[in-house]
Amino acid sequence: MQRKPTVLLFALGIFFVSLAGKSQEYRITNYGISEGITYPFVYTISQDDRGFVWIGTGMGLCRFDGFKFTTDMVPDTLSGQVVGASFKDSSGALWFGYQSGNIVRYNGKSFELISAGAEINSSITGFAELTDGIIL
């Protein structure tokens, strides 16, 4: 007869503990043009080794430092172009592919426009790295 109250108390204890686990709050912040992003559509997001978040939009790249968005660090010739792909390689460099076919490498300090060795007339939609460090 003593068993029923013990089982009931145990079951109630598990129930209340499980409710406490579901009471977590997630803080989500929405960012848009009014906060500094250059375009309402985001096509790619990457994070560099220093913690900056790079956002590829329909009007170029934005860098987010956790507080504000910056767009003045990108070369002028690429500032208004659509960034459709991004990739972080094994050395920590970021690669950005543009809809125009341009490819840009960011080493953490400066941007470098990469020549693919052939004229590219289509959008760059992705990157991959081989085991020997070659980027495709």
Side-chain angles (χ1 to χ4, degrees), residues 77-135:
T77 57
L78 301 172
S79 62
Q81 294 186 23
V82 178
V83 183
S86 62
F87 178 75
K88 184 176 179 180
D89 68 16
S90 59
S91 71
L94 294 178
W95 295 75
F96 299 102
Y98 288 79
Q99 191 174 29
S100 63
N102 287 323
I103 299 171
V104 172
R105 180 178 179 269
Y106 179 68
N107 63 10
K109 296 178 182 176
S110 62
F111 290 91
E112 176 186 5
L113 187 61
I114 303 296
S115 173
E119 188 173 330
I120 299 175
N121 293 323
S122 62
S123 177
I124 305 297
T125 58
F127 294 95
E129 184 174 10
L130 301 178
T131 55
D132 56 358
I134 295 175
I135 304 295

Side-chain angles (χ1 to χ4, degrees), residues 9-22:
L9 287 174
F10 179 73
L12 284 173
I14 295 293
F15 175 72
F16 286 117
V17 167
S18 68
L19 285 178
K22 291 187 178 192

